[in-house]
DNA sequence: AATTAATAATTCAATTCGATTTATTTATTG
DNA sequence: CAATAAATAAATCGAATTGAATTATTAATT
């Protein structure tokens, strides 16, 4: 019995419960997704280049890419001349091949976006509210979606992959911080948001935590290609995050991987508090009020912030000090190559937060710590909506080793 | 019969960018490992049962298991009668199919064990020292291995899968804690332990951090089957650990995933210190000295501890309080289903540490935390040696999704 | 300018190999 | 004997690989 074995190495990206078997059909599905993700990562690649990068034979790549081109997912570009040999034909994603919708539920507003295959936002609708409630929210889903759908052709509609929802965990426990009556918030209890939306929408619905969704956006459309594993932090009304391992989103058994908010850190006075009490925008809002400043500009638009001066500086310092502790703590658990920080604020705030965090980390005891790079997110304040819209892409087009394995009962 | 295909691998579960393609040969290799791991997990399973659990067709399972039986890796048991239909034939691992060696390098002693395919320690040699040094250690490898090999037949020797090494990170930075002259410790600098051992041993050598190795042992021979993902903590002279995600060892990009030692926690007086300064046996040793108690019994044998009274109680309390913070911090990053605690101490100490940690966790702010179970390790104080010996099994027989993917240059 | 060599991308055709499907046999209970 | 379940043999299917051919281009030479 002859064995031609491979060199073994690592744990797959996203991690999977390896209890199912693999077969040919799945191998093909996996390889197709792999080819597309390589094209996505590099913008455009020739068949030969994909063969080199994937390790697949040139012939296999030809067959797969011909099929993907026939499906309209890939487009051929202008042949590249100037080098010896037959010119290579760069293939790139067809931006119009697939669309998806993404719903973000925020503290002050909800957005629905229509996204194309390469992450471009084609259309967007927004609704603002003092605080989110199930009834009005579901009404917005129906009305907003209708508005977006009205602008596209039936052909385009047929190419919609799904409807992704980026929502915070346990809306009802926000009441005091959101400034909403507990009775109203209690209406969320027992609401199966995914099911409610699925019954109102003619597409596959995927629900995911909002910060995790933002992390997904960063993975596909942001810095994902540069870091094989990273911890992602999104500072919204409440801080949250996501985890990427081996270039795949890792959501964990309960879907709360990267939640990070409950991580204990020491505050300014040395007291131990949860990270979310410090590094969240609701905290800045309170600080502004304490300083007699109207916090409303925070909510008009993430890019409409003005420099609030001292209270903003204080908030950034406190946030950075807390984030620095979170960075070191998480690096002690997983040796992330990067911590990517983004949030519902303008780029200049993000820059200050990241710089302050880098400085704060340097002040900590780093002996034995494998320190990750601390970098700014590339997607920005819309990461949650974009991430929501990217969720359907994950289930259909992005590589996921689980595609290889049988689903067991 | 051992397969002759494998070359010496680096650590089994390092990281891979999932950019490689998959093919049939790899699918078969993966499915073979999957079948064996199912048998391993359940002790013995019939072909039909494996087909149900893996989702593979009965015929595929027949072919795979017939081959594994022909290779001597599986043995058929007594047919199970008493149920309708043809009696099922339970298949189990042949304990003598594969052996492996494991070297553990500790602070006071080194062990080499010879392990069978189901985790049984067949033979063992130990050498003690005031502190480890490269020259004597390598001499021990040669002499100890010769001693173990002398007791086995050439046929048995042909079935040895490899030589696994469980060693601490950066031996040289121990000096002060180990009580060794810095000059002696500096001899470790620049020593490529894996290469040195590989040049003295006729088997594939696999090197891994000692606590990560212990984690591997727990995964294969301990509670692994019960928890799909867990954080593993091993309290030795210094605390360390490992990470298991989706039933696979996750070592991370740099191999330091789960190192945990540098995690900042608050000590008894509220000061922030690294976990390893509190939850390590060297700390207990210092405490005993401060109380005028001879700490030598700590080092004779992990099972030879006596109840040291007050200082031990203090150490357990401090350790538990620190571990509790580590548990909450890690749970904020990854939603582990369990934290498994073991160490180089007797079972009754482990029990007290775990109970105290559970109590300490309950005193923390757990709002929003997905709390893992906190449980005792099932492998015990020999986990590092057993884990070392299990490393070669990972590269050859245990499911590792990477088997599916091509390795790229 | 024409010719030849070298190189690289792509594809065709044939082959291989493992999982699946279909059908059959075997062993047991009731 | 009917029903049931395990096990397996033979045939089929599908995807990747191999090896050779085709095409398009640059580089060097006459």
């Amino acid at each position: 019995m002859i064995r031609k074995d491979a060199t073994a190495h690592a744990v797959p990206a996203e991690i999977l419960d390896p209890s199912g078997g693999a077969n040919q059909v799945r191998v093909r599905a996996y390889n197709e997704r792999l080819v597309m993700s390589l094209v996505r990562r590099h913008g455009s690649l020739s068949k030969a280049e994909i063969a080199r990068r994937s390790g697949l034979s040139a012939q296999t790549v030809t067959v797969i890419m011909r099929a993907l081109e026939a499906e309209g997912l890939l487009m051929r570009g202008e042949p590249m001349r100037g080098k010896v040999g037959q010119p290579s034909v760069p293939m790139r994603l067809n931006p119009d091949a697939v669309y998806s919708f993404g719903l973000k539920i925020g503290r002050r507003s909800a957005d629905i976006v229509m996204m194309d295959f390469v992450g471009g936002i084609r259309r967007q609708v927004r609704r603002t509210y003092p605080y989110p409630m199930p009834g009005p929210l579901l009404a917005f889903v129906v009305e907003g979606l209708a508005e977006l759908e009205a602008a596209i052709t039936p052909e385009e509609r047929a190419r919609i992959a799904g409807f992704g929802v980026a929502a915070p965990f346990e809306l009802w426990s926000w009441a005091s911080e959101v400034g909403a009556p507990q009775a109203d918030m209690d209406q969320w209890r027992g609401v199966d948001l995914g099911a409610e939306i699925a019954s109102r929408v003619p597409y596959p619905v995927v629900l995911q935590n909002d910060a995790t969704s933002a992390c997904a956006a960063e993975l596909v459309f942001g810095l994902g290609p540069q870091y094989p594993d990273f911890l992602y932090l999104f500072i919204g009304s409440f801080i949250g995050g996501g985890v990427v391992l081996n270039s795949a989103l890792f959501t964990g058994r309960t879907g709360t991987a990267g939640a990070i908010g409950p991580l204990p850190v020491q505050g300014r006075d040395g007291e131990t508090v949860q990270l979310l009490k410090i590094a969240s925008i609701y905290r800045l809002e309170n600080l502004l009020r304490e300083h007699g400043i109207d916090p409303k500009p925070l909510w008009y638009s993430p890019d409409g912030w003005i420099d609030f001066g001292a209270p903003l500086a204080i908030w950034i310092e406190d946030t950075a000090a807390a984030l620095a502790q979170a960075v070191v703590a998480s690096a002690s658990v997983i040796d992330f190559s990067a911590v990517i920080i983004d949030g519902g604020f303008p780029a200049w705030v993000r820059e200050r937060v990241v710089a302050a965090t880098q400085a704060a980390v340097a002040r900590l005891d780093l002996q034995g710590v494998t320190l990750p790079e601390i970098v700014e997110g590339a997607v920005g304040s819309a990461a949650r909506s974009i991430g929501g819209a990217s969720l359907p892409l994950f289930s259909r087009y992005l590589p996921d080793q689980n595609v290889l394995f049988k689903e067991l009962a």
Side-chain angles (χ1 to χ4, degrees), chain A:
Chain A
M1 202 167 304
I2 294 166
R3 302 235 169 225
K4 236 169 60 176
D5 206 313
T7 36
H9 42 161
V11 168
E14 119 194 345
I15 314 249
L16 59 111
D17 187 30
S19 49
N23 67 19
Q24 272 174 311
V25 178
R26 282 155 202 283
V27 164
R28 174 56 171 267
Y30 173 82
N31 285 340
E32 281 185 4
R33 288 178 187 230
L34 172 64
V35 166
M36 273 200 288
S37 84
L38 285 170
V39 173
R40 185 182 289 279
R41 251 225 256 302
H42 295 89
S44 77
L45 286 177
S46 69
K47 296 188 178 78
E49 189 61 20
I50 298 239
R52 278 189 293 268
R53 288 180 187 273
S54 67
L56 294 170
S57 69
Q59 174 61 7
T60 298
V61 172
T62 293
V63 170
I64 289 174
M65 293 187 82
R66 191 159 42 187
L68 293 174
E69 189 187 0
E71 279 185 74
L73 293 167
L74 295 181
M75 300 169 68
R76 59 178 56 223
E78 271 308 296
M80 296 281 287
R81 292 156 209 282
K83 280 185 302 188
V84 174
Q86 175 161 327
S88 62
V89 180
M91 305 289 288
R92 56 178 201 279
L93 296 181
N94 176 3
D96 294 300
V98 180
Y99 303 117
S100 60
F101 290 110
L103 164 67
K104 173 220 100 178
I105 304 173
R107 176 182 172 188
R108 300 286 180 170
S109 66
D111 296 277
I112 305 177
V113 301
M114 179 179 141
M115 192 181 80
D116 65 28
F117 203 38
V118 297
I121 297 301
R122 294 295 179 92
R123 294 208 144 64
Q124 175 161 13
V125 289
R126 160 169 295 190
R127 183 155 302 179
T128 57
Y129 37 64
Y131 47 88
M133 292 274 288
L137 186 83
L138 290 169
F140 169 58
V141 167
V142 173
E143 294 153 21
L145 185 58
E147 192 180 329
L148 294 176
E149 283 179 325
I152 60 175
T153 68
E155 291 70 40
E156 290 172 325
R157 194 178 300 187
R159 274 177 274 152
I160 289 167
F163 189 98
V165 181
F169 287 130
E170 305 200 345
L171 284 156
W172 52 88
S173 46
W174 290 17
S176 65
E177 289 86 355
V178 173
Q182 183 65 52
D184 280 353
M185 283 292 102
D186 282 345
Q187 288 189 28
W188 283 104
R189 287 180 199 276
V191 171
D192 182 341
L193 192 58
E196 292 297 333
I197 293 176
S199 72
R200 288 168 172 78
V201 157
Y203 312 106
V205 171
V206 194
L207 180 72
Q208 183 59 272
N209 170 261
D210 54 355
T212 306
S213 301
C215 178
E218 192 69 44
L219 171 60
V220 193
F221 304 118
L223 300 179
Q226 287 163 60
Y227 300 101
D229 39 50
F230 60 85
L231 175 67
Y232 177 86
L233 303 177
F234 189 91
I235 302 173
S237 290
F238 298 89
I239 190 170
V243 171
V244 165
L245 300 175
N246 293 318
S247 300
L249 193 61
F250 180 79
T251 57
R253 185 178 45 96
T254 65
T256 57
I260 214 79
L263 192 132
V265 296
Q266 287 195 69
R268 186 169 280 265
D269 308 322
E271 78 289 8
T272 299
V273 295
Q274 294 195 333
L275 176 64
L276 65 86
K277 305 277 185 181
I278 298 176
S280 292
I281 295 180
Y282 92 88
R283 169 78 187 132
L284 172 59
E285 188 177 348
N286 290 344
L287 265 177
L288 292 176
R289 280 209 204 83
E290 287 169 20
H291 281 73
I293 301 174
D294 178 12
K296 281 210 196 71
L298 292 182
W299 308 118
Y300 292 143
S301 140
D303 298 318
W305 286 30
I306 52 176
D307 189 339
F308 297 95
L312 178 60
I314 293 170
W315 178 76
I316 288 176
E317 263 318 303
D318 288 353
T319 293
L323 291 180
Q325 296 171 65
V327 167
V328 172
S330 58
S332 305
V333 180
I334 304 279
D335 51 338
F336 294 108
S337 55
V339 173
I340 301 179
I341 299 175
D342 213 328
F345 40 49
W348 60 268
V349 173
R350 181 178 63 203
E351 192 188 334
R352 285 176 62 181
V353 169
V354 168
T357 303
Q358 289 165 338
V361 163
R363 291 192 292 269
L364 298 176
D365 181 357
L366 298 178
Q367 200 192 351
V369 178
T370 304
L371 204 63
E373 277 184 66
I374 300 171
V375 296
E376 293 183 55
V379 177
S381 57
R384 288 169 298 181
S385 328
I386 295 172
S390 76
L391 298 174
L393 300 188
F394 275 89
S395 30
R396 292 188 50 177
Y397 299 104
L398 296 173
D400 168 352
Q401 288 89 341
N402 296 310
V403 170
L404 274 165
F405 308 110
K406 292 169 185 295
E407 203 63 49
L408 301 176

